[in-house]
């Protein structure tokens, strides 16, 4: 069964303190791994899609990487506005296209 | 370009009642997916519609149902509400049901069952 596990559940950083969020997955035939950002009271906002091991994508202070078993979301010199819940999801290679989400990492960046 | 809209934004119901939630996708998007989000389970896929046909279905009881209209707007219905149905219900629209990069989420409907 497809499964996604995110760690840590919560992370508190000081402004400028870089760190990484982890997303471990088990899926039959990965079609894509997705990262979303969710602010309180809002729906998830798409950040990145990664398709194959070794792939990397960057957007401002965020960089997502992918291996055959996990993905990392690296946050470089975070700012308070980066505070949010970060969600990881996988799309498997079965007959359906549905996304399987992890439970997210709640990131708090203190000034 | 207007985003995904969901109505109502907040809803309070009692056990045993039924509820209907509405989702209007981004103009031109023909696929609508529904998710339930709870603190313990995270986002769980309910079902997806494309061109008025259900394409995918998650592992939820038959009390959860949905439909899509010819203008791509979608509704989901929950009958005989239970306390455990309290959650944020999110709708996401995309151009088609195979391309997840174009998937955009609405703000959600927060349902509280008393």
């Amino acid at each position: 069964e497809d499964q996604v596990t995110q760690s840590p559940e919560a992370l508190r950083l000081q402004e400028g303190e870089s760190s990484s969020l982890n997303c471990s997955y088990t899926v039959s035939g990965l079609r894509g791994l997705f990262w979303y950002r969710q602010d309180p009271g809002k729906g998830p906002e798409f950040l990145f899609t990664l398709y194959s091991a070794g792939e990397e994508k960057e957007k401002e202070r965020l960089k997502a990487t992918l291996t055959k078993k996990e993905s990392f979301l690296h946050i470089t010199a975070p700012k308070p506005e980066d505070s949010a819940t970060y969600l990881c999801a996988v799309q498997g290679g079965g007959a359906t296209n549905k996304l399987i989400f992890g439970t997210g990492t709640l990131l708090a960046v203190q000034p | 370009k207007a985003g995904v809209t969901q109505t109502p934004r907040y809803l309070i119901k009692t056990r045993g009642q039924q509820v209907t939630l509405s989702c209007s996708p981004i103009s031109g998007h023909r696929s609508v997916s529904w998710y339930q989000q709870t603190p313990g389970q995270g986002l769980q896929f309910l079902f997806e519609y494309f061109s008025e046909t259900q394409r995918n279905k998650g592992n939820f009881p038959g009390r959860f149902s949905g439909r899509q209209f010819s203008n791509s707007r979608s509704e989901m219905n929950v009958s005989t509400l239970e306390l455990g149905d309290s959650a944020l219900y999110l709708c996401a629209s995309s151009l088609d049901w195979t391309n997840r990069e174009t998937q955009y989420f609405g703000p959600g409907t927060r349902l509280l069952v008393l």
Side-chain angles (χ1 to χ4, degrees), chain A residues 5 23-25 41 46 71 73-74 77:
Chain A
T5 303
C23 171
S24 298
Y25 64 90
F46 171 78
S71 176
L73 184 65
H74 307 277

Side-chain angles (χ1 to χ4, degrees), chain A residues 34 38 43 49 51 96-97, chain B residues 9 37 43 56 100-101 105-106:
Chain A
F34 301 79
Q38 186 173 23
T49 307
Y51 294 102
T96 70
N97 287 296
Chain B
R9 291 293 312 279
Q37 186 174 31
L43 265 127
N56 287 307
R100 296 306 176 193
E101 285 206 44
F105 283 83

Side-chain angles (χ1 to χ4, degrees), chain A:
Chain A
E1 184 179 336
D2 298 346
Q3 192 170 353
V4 177
T5 303
Q6 291 188 248
S7 62
E9 288 186 10
L11 181 63
R12 180 176 295 179
L13 299 174
Q14 291 295 124
E15 185 172 0
E17 179 186 3
S18 301
S19 188
S20 297
L21 313 182
N22 178 265
C23 171
S24 298
Y25 64 90
T26 304
V27 66
S28 304
L30 181 71
R31 285 189 185 176
L33 185 141
F34 301 79
W35 282 99
Y36 291 85
R37 168 192 171 128
Q38 186 173 23
D39 292 299
K42 296 186 177 181
E45 175 189 345
F46 171 78
L47 291 173
F48 304 108
T49 307
L50 302 168
Y51 294 102
S52 58
E55 189 175 0
E56 299 181 354
K57 287 191 177 176
E58 289 188 65
K59 179 180 180 181
E60 296 180 356
R61 295 175 293 283
L62 301 177
K63 178 180 172 181
T65 62
L66 181 64
T67 72
K68 288 187 177 180
K69 293 184 178 181
E70 57 191 350
S71 176
F72 292 93
L73 184 65
H74 307 277
I75 304 176
T76 302
K79 298 181 177 181
E81 52 262 42
D82 294 322
S83 298
T85 295
Y86 290 86
L87 299 167
C88 169
V90 297
Q91 182 180 8
T96 70
N97 287 296
K98 63 183 181 181
L99 295 181
I100 306 298
F101 279 84
T103 51
T105 293
L106 175 61
L107 174 66
V109 182
Q110 297 181 315

Side-chain angles (χ1 to χ4, degrees), chain B residues 19-20 44 50-51 56 59 67 76 84 86 101:
Chain B
V19 67
T20 299
Q44 293 187 289
F50 178 77
S51 293
N56 287 307
N59 299 322
R67 59 177 175 169
M76 69 163 281
S86 294
E101 285 206 44

Side-chain angles (χ1 to χ4, degrees), chain B residues 1 9 19 23 26 35 38 56-57 67 75 83 106 112:
Chain B
K1 195 174 189 180
R9 291 293 312 279
V19 67
C23 172
I26 291 171
Y35 295 84
T38 58
N56 287 307
K57 190 176 188 306
R67 59 177 175 169
E75 288 182 347
L83 296 179
L112 177 61

Side-chain angles (χ1 to χ4, degrees), chain B residues 90-110:
Chain B
L90 291 161
C91 158
S93 79
S94 54
L95 286 171
D96 60 63
W97 69 304
T98 61
N99 186 343
R100 296 306 176 193
E101 285 206 44
T102 65
Q103 183 170 262
Y104 296 89
F105 283 83
T109 293
R110 186 163 295 281

